Amino acid sequence: MTTHPDFSSPRIAILGGGPGGYEAAMVAASLGARVTIIERAGLGGSAVLTDVVPSKTLIATADLMTRVGEAGELGVKFAVGGSDVAPGMRADLGHINDRVLHLAREQSDDIRVGLEHLGVEILMGSGKLLDNHTIEVLTSDGIKTVTADAILLAVGAHPRELPTAKPDGERILNWAQLYNLEELPEELIVVGSGVTGAEFASAYNGLGSNVTLISSRDQVLPGEDTDAAQVLEGVFKRRGVRVLSRSRAQAVERTETGVMVTLGDGTTVTGSHCLVCVGSIPNTAGIGLEEAGVAVSESGHIKVDGVSRTTAPNIYAAGDCTGVLALASVAAMQGRIAVAHFLGDGVMPLKLHQVASNIFTSPEIASVGVSEADLESGKYQGDVVMLSLLSNARAKMRNSKDGFVKIIARKGSGTVIGGVVVGPNASELIFPISVAVTQKLHVDDVASTFTVYPSLTGSISEAARRLHVHM
């Protein structure tokens, strides 16, 4: 029997198997497209293999150690030989990192199974654009050519390096190399106080390292909510994290026993290890963007519009390589929007003011929508209410002393346009505020919705109630 190819199904090729790539592949396959995904390292990309999943798994262990260390305040005693003792904990970093990497591989395998179940073709190898319809793939079996009606670029990014602080994978590290350590760093110096630096400083402090955080700015987490940054700095101070503000690392070098960081003023800081967190660089060099007509910015990021189109016909891009927002959730949304747009499905352009994000420090810091900085700049007009969790009954029961709920409502209309949550599980607590922002709910809609008593969400309801305007 003679078989004929099915020309009715559009062909989509996706370069990169991270959240932007694999989420797009799932949507495209479910809409009837023939999909090929090309990935050089493993399904899930750096988000699953070396970044988000590993770091948050490590943080989960650190958070547990922090809570156990504070258990005595809740009346929990640890008995050894019939007498109460303070818990003596030790982070078995070899075991922790084995678990981290196992979970990352397991998650990657789950993604592969899901894609294969949907009929997605998976090619392991490095891809390069030949034109706006063709990708050349170097695999272990040789060179293969993939032709498609549309191409999605989801090639991600890699850690930026300082010329004077080259990672060696042993003492000077980037965030992808941390999971090779067998022993907990005795004295960890973290260069960079952005999200990644703050998260690892918090985590390794929780695991038991002596941590020094070098920040070139006035506060940790520059660009984030100022009140949230102040809470975190207070927690760092209480837990023994040494923060060097307005200090720029000029160089990092190995010593006989560890590392030495030279600051801009010539002073030095010594430790056993140094973690360099100074941003990332898009993986856009050498993949044929110019040949295909794809424009990039000065930083090397691919230029895209609200539905993820590039400057080249039939080529879309998603994720960290676009420089829009370095969040797995944004990458996934960009990828889903891209394939839906190409396939003619209903789609709305990406709306950045609706993006919820979380910083996995202890306590967590979550935010969505308009910020107080936006109000101060005059970009928006709004009213703000901030409630400390110190007044929340559930927080008191859990001995959660640090954090707050902040809601921002549009002045005049009372519509919820932004919010911040600082505290335990802030990544979960931000969701009701995100729903309110996305669905343009009035503060009275939030305030009149039942919450459980006692609960941390009760503070969200109370903050909304305090924004009510009597008519």
Side-chain angles (χ1 to χ4, degrees):
M1 183 176 67
T2 303
T3 58
H4 300 280
D6 178 12
F7 293 105
S8 63
S9 298
R11 298 164 299 170
I12 294 179
I14 300 173
L15 184 57
Y22 77 75
E23 289 267 1
M26 290 178 175
V27 171
S30 68
L31 292 174
R34 288 178 288 162
V35 184
T36 299
I37 192 165
I38 301 150
E39 168 59 39
R40 62 184 178 184
L43 274 301
S46 61
V48 169
L49 296 172
T50 60
D51 191 356
V52 182
V53 171
S55 66
K56 278 47 176 182
T57 306
L58 179 84
I59 288 166
T61 299
D63 185 53
L64 177 60
M65 290 184 66
T66 299
R67 285 186 286 139
V68 171
E70 298 172 348
E73 296 183 45
L74 278 75
V76 177
K77 305 297 182 182
F78 296 82
V80 177
S83 60
D84 293 338
V85 297
M89 291 181 291
R90 179 182 65 86
D92 182 346
L93 198 65
H95 180 96
I96 291 169
N97 283 340
D98 284 346
R99 177 175 180 267
V100 163
L101 296 176
H102 172 74
L103 288 177
R105 288 191 296 268
E106 192 176 67
Q107 181 68 12
S108 178
D109 291 342
D110 288 345
I111 293 168
R112 172 184 279 276
V113 170
L115 290 171
E116 290 175 341
H117 179 73
L118 289 169
V120 174
E121 179 187 13
I122 299 169
L123 280 181
M124 298 305 298
S126 300
K128 180 179 180 180
L129 293 169
L130 298 182
D131 53 44
N132 65 333
H133 285 289
T134 314
I135 301 176
E136 182 182 82
V137 186
L138 177 61
T139 73
S140 59
D141 297 325
I143 294 176
K144 297 184 179 181
T145 301
V146 176
T147 303
D149 299 300
I151 293 171
L152 173 66
L153 304 173
V155 293
H158 61 275
R160 178 171 169 258
E161 296 180 359
L162 297 174
T164 54
K166 289 290 186 181
D168 59 18
E170 296 177 353
R171 295 285 181 172
I172 305 173
L173 309 151
N174 63 38
W175 65 76
Q177 298 170 330
L178 283 170
Y179 312 106
N180 297 323
L181 295 177
E182 291 290 329
E183 299 293 333
L184 187 72
E186 183 179 346
E187 296 175 312
L188 178 65
I189 302 169
V190 180
V191 175
S193 64
V195 172
T196 303
E199 285 186 344
F200 280 117
S202 178
Y204 277 89
N205 171 250
L207 293 173
S209 293
N210 293 315
V211 177
T212 298
L213 179 61
I214 297 176
S215 172
S216 62
R217 309 289 282 274
D218 291 337
Q219 68 170 44
V220 300
L221 299 175
E224 301 294 332
D225 183 87
T226 300
D227 293 318
Q230 288 176 351
V231 169
L232 184 60
E233 286 184 345
V235 171
F236 277 171
K237 184 177 181 180
R238 191 176 74 233
R239 293 179 180 168
V241 176
R242 179 187 177 199
V243 179
L244 301 181
S245 301
R246 296 180 295 279
S247 301
R248 187 175 295 276
Q250 292 293 101
V252 184
E253 56 188 298
R254 290 279 296 263
T255 65
E256 288 186 10
T257 57
V259 295
M260 181 175 69
V261 180
T262 302
L263 304 180
D265 62 3
T267 60
T268 59
V269 182
T270 58
S272 63
H273 297 75
C274 181
L275 171 62
V276 181
C277 301
V278 288
S280 59
I281 296 175
N283 298 324
T284 53
I287 61 169
L289 296 183
E290 186 176 349
E291 292 85 342
V294 178
V296 298
S297 65
E298 290 184 8
S299 60
H301 291 96
I302 298 171
K303 295 182 179 180
V304 293
D305 64 10
V307 290
S308 302
R309 289 178 296 193
T310 70
T311 55
N314 313 307
I315 298 183
Y316 295 75
D320 290 3
C321 65
T322 67
V324 174
L325 272 181
L327 296 171
S329 58
V330 171
M333 183 67 78
Q334 286 180 296
R336 291 192 295 263
I337 288 173
V339 296
H341 180 268
F342 175 73
L343 294 172
D345 198 22
V347 65
M348 292 287 289
L350 182 68
K351 297 180 178 180
L352 294 179
H353 70 278
Q354 295 178 355
V355 174
S357 61
N358 191 71
I359 302 167
F360 288 85
T361 47
S362 178
E364 293 182 5
I365 300 171
S367 58
V368 66
V370 171
S371 67
E372 274 201 273
D374 292 329
L375 302 185
E376 292 166 1
S377 70
K379 187 177 180 181
Y380 293 88
Q381 290 188 322
D383 298 307
V384 183
V385 163
M386 184 172 80
L387 289 181
S388 171
L389 290 183
L390 286 173
S391 62
N392 181 285
R394 186 68 187 278
K396 292 177 183 176
M397 296 169 191
R398 294 177 53 163
N399 198 37
S400 299
K401 303 172 183 176
D402 306 294
F404 61 81
V405 168
K406 179 185 292 186
I407 294 182
I408 302 172
R410 190 181 300 276
K411 188 175 289 294
S413 71
T415 304
V416 180
I417 56 175
V420 180
V421 178
V422 179
N425 305 113
S427 53
E428 312 292 344
L429 293 170
I430 198 66
F431 184 67
I433 303 178
S434 296
V435 171
V437 170
T438 302
Q439 301 303 322
K440 299 179 173 61
L441 299 184
H442 192 278
V443 289
D444 291 350
D445 296 324
V446 178
S448 61
T449 300
F450 277 100
T451 59
V452 171
Y453 181 84
S455 69
L456 297 179
T457 52
S459 289
I460 296 175
S461 178
E462 177 62 26
R465 195 170 296 115
R466 296 192 185 191
L467 284 164
H468 171 75
V469 178
H470 181 65
M471 303 299 290

